[in-house]
């Protein structure tokens, strides 16, 4: 399996943001890490191995990047307004730096599917729903799509535009909503076992349904915990559906 690591200093974030790519061809996949983890997390926990058959057959070319979670949402020393601002800057990093790199390597019409587990599910959903014109879809596993609990009651435009349950509920425009209503690759998954909260996925699904946005909600069994063995099953399961 072809693997390539790229060092990158992000002007938008003013910090080093390395990334790694797996594979040589196929539908591009952008992987966003959980919690305070880094760009190699999905390799360390064998999620990349779980989708290796798709990569080796040239069906998937996967990119994994760092997040800013440890500096933003998970940083108790960071003022809430700066936490939200950093999420906005992170979004610009992806659209202005990561996406052009992916398109340079895979063609200017490349539209990645975003994916992640836990806090990475939030990041992947936020990126897709903000930019359905730039990304094909999202595979969000075991996520929460409301960041207000991290912000101690603070709320401004940066919070609103990085909080999917808010901006999707209010979406009624002539550009993004029609694109979302033509979506073919929105998958929201959750277990119902230990440390899972399927109500969060159900809530997002209810909002999408109310807006007429096609998607698939899968709530797996009560034995399905918030843990890697299940995410290693979920991601290839969905890729098999998308890729046929």
């Amino acid at each position: 399996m072809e693997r390539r690591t790229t060092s990158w200093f992000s002007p938008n974030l003013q910090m080093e943001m390395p990334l790694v790519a797996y594979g040589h061809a196929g539908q591009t996949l952008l992987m966003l890490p959980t919690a305070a983890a880094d760009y190699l997390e999905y390799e360390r926990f064998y999620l990349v191995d779980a989708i290796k058959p798709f990569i080796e057959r040239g069906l998937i070319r996967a990119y994994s990047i760092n997040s800013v979670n440890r500096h933003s949402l998970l940083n108790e020393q960071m003022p809430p307004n700066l936490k939200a601002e950093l999420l906005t800057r992170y979004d610009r990093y992806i659209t202005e730096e990561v996406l052009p790199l992916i398109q340079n390597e895979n063609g200017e019409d490349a539209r990645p599917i975003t994916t992640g587990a836990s806090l990475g599910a939030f990041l992947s959903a936020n990126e897709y729903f903000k930019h359905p014109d730039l990304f094909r879809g999202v595979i969000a596993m075991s996520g929460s799509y409301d960041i207000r609990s991290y912000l101690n009651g603070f709320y401004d435009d940066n919070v609103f535009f990085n909080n999917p349950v808010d901006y999707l509920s209010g979406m009624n425009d002539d550009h993004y909503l029609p694109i979302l209503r033509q979506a073919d690759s929105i998958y929201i998954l959750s277990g119902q076992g230990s440390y899972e909260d399927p109500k969060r996925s159900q809530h997002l699904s209810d909002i999408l349904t109310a807006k007429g946005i096609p998607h698939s909600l899968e709530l797996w069994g009560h034995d399905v915990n918030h843990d890697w063995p299940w995410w290693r099953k979920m991601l290839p399961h969905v890729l098999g559906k998308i890729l046929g």
Side-chain angles (χ1 to χ4, degrees):
M1 178 171 61
E2 180 182 328
R3 176 189 188 277
R4 178 179 54 77
T5 302
T6 301
S7 298
W8 189 270
F9 181 82
S10 166
N12 279 306
L13 295 171
Q14 293 296 299
M15 65 179 73
E16 292 291 336
M17 296 291 286
L19 58 86
V20 63
Y22 307 92
H24 61 280
Q27 167 67 54
T28 49
L29 185 71
L30 180 60
M31 308 174 79
L32 297 103
T34 74
D38 64 8
Y39 70 110
L40 293 175
E41 179 190 39
Y42 289 124
E43 182 177 324
R44 286 196 302 273
F45 286 93
Y46 307 108
L47 194 65
V48 173
D49 280 348
I51 62 172
K52 185 176 179 180
F54 297 99
I55 295 171
E56 292 190 331
R57 290 164 56 199
L59 298 176
I60 285 289
R61 191 172 195 189
Y63 292 79
S64 185
I65 64 175
N66 271 348
S67 79
V68 293
N69 294 332
R70 71 179 64 196
H71 305 290
S72 177
L73 296 179
L74 300 179
N75 184 358
E76 294 299 326
Q77 308 307 313
M78 180 73 77
N81 64 308
L82 296 183
K83 288 185 178 185
E85 179 185 335
L86 193 52
L87 287 176
T88 296
R89 290 167 58 193
Y90 184 64
D91 169 58
R92 289 201 301 267
Y93 156 70
I94 293 175
T95 59
E96 296 176 9
E97 300 176 45
V98 176
L99 186 58
L101 181 148
I102 292 174
Q103 292 176 331
N104 183 60
E105 296 184 348
N106 300 276
E108 61 182 21
D109 60 344
R111 295 175 65 227
I113 294 171
T114 62
T115 190
S118 191
L119 201 48
F122 154 69
L123 293 174
S124 62
N126 191 43
E127 203 59 34
Y128 169 69
F129 289 123
K130 289 175 73 168
H131 305 285
D133 52 340
L134 302 179
F135 297 92
R136 176 180 170 182
V138 58
I139 305 168
M141 302 176 290
S142 305
S144 173
Y145 309 98
D146 187 343
I147 62 171
R148 287 175 292 183
S149 62
Y150 294 97
L151 301 172
N152 299 319
F154 176 80
Y155 201 90
D156 68 357
D157 282 350
N158 282 326
V159 177
F160 176 83
F161 287 110
N162 288 290
N163 207 42
V165 298
D166 284 347
Y167 64 73
L168 284 170
S169 295
M171 185 176 286
N172 193 28
D173 68 297
D174 295 327
H175 179 63
Y176 292 113
L177 187 55
I179 294 174
L180 285 168
R181 285 175 171 165
Q182 298 298 315
D184 66 357
S185 302
I186 301 175
Y187 290 84
I188 305 161
L189 301 95
S190 176
Q192 300 182 72
S194 297
Y195 300 104
E196 288 280 57
D197 191 345
K199 295 188 298 295
R200 295 170 175 176
S201 295
Q202 183 68 61
H203 184 204
L204 179 60
S205 174
D206 290 344
I207 293 170
L208 296 178
T209 298
K211 290 294 179 180
I213 299 172
H215 66 284
S216 175
L217 171 67
E218 295 190 17
L219 300 181
W220 290 25
H222 292 277
D223 60 330
V224 178
N225 302 326
H226 192 87
D227 204 357
W228 290 100
W230 293 106
W231 300 330
R232 290 195 291 265
K233 295 178 184 293
M234 288 178 177
L235 185 55
H237 162 74
V238 173
L239 289 177
K241 290 188 170 188
I242 293 173
L243 301 173

